[in-house]
Amino acid sequence: MPRPLGELEDAVMTRVWQWNRPVTVREVLEDLQQERSIAYTTVMTVMDNLHQKGWVRREVEGRAYRYTAVSTRAAYSAALMNEAWAQSDNPAAALVAFFGMMSPEQRESLNDAIRIVQRDNPLPAPPREPEGGEGTARP
């Protein structure tokens, strides 16, 4: 289970996920500087940490690295939700409480997701009873 990203890690990963292409430290720095004062070395350190933690892979291009996300934000969010759910002593109650917090739009997204999962991974049909019903002796 991944640990939740820190604030700056999340800000960096948000850009990597949104841009969905290999990015440089300089590109991320310039975008982050529109919101806050931050040093190149700080962004470089965060991106190196994300690489060490397995969130991004990197390839050398000239004198710089290009970083690419290893997984999607959706996969990250799902892993966090799964971990929180798995730690509950009553998973059914946790789901009921979670669903109760959802907005109508979130519930519609949940219904869409359930339809997709059921379509792509249908449950096996229950075993059929032998002809003549259970316990019927055959001559």
Side-chain angles (χ1 to χ4, degrees):
M1 158 60 200
R3 285 184 38 218
L5 296 170
E7 180 190 346
L8 190 50
E9 290 174 327
D10 186 68
V12 169
M13 284 306 300
T14 293
R15 283 148 179 88
V16 175
W17 282 319
Q18 285 176 344
W19 295 341
N20 197 28
R21 61 173 173 75
V23 301
T24 64
V25 171
R26 175 79 49 207
E27 291 173 307
V28 174
L29 170 72
E30 289 172 358
D31 200 60
L32 284 171
Q33 284 179 330
Q34 294 176 28
E35 301 172 0
R36 63 177 94 187
S37 177
I38 190 165
Y40 180 92
T41 54
T42 301
V43 177
M44 182 177 64
T45 299
V46 169
M47 294 184 82
D48 184 60
N49 290 344
L50 289 167
H51 175 257
Q52 297 300 321
K53 292 177 180 181
W55 287 105
V56 293
R57 68 177 140 267
R58 66 185 179 194
E59 294 181 16
V60 176
E61 185 177 289
R63 294 178 42 204
Y65 285 115
R66 286 215 173 259
Y67 294 85
T68 308
V70 170
S71 66
T72 64
R73 180 175 278 288
Y76 166 69
S77 297
L80 291 178
M81 289 187 290
N82 188 55
E83 178 67 15
W85 183 47
Q87 290 184 14
S88 172
D89 60 348
N90 187 339
L95 282 175
V96 169
F98 180 63
F99 297 156
M101 293 180 209
M102 291 180 155
S103 69
E105 294 80 16
Q106 290 171 319
R107 288 184 188 184
E108 187 57 37
S109 293
L110 175 64
N111 287 331
D112 291 343
I114 290 170
R115 281 191 290 274
I116 290 167
V117 168
Q118 287 175 336
R119 180 195 70 211
D120 294 348
N121 301 301
L123 294 174
R128 296 180 64 175
E129 288 187 23
E131 286 188 34
E134 196 172 342
T136 303
R138 292 193 173 172

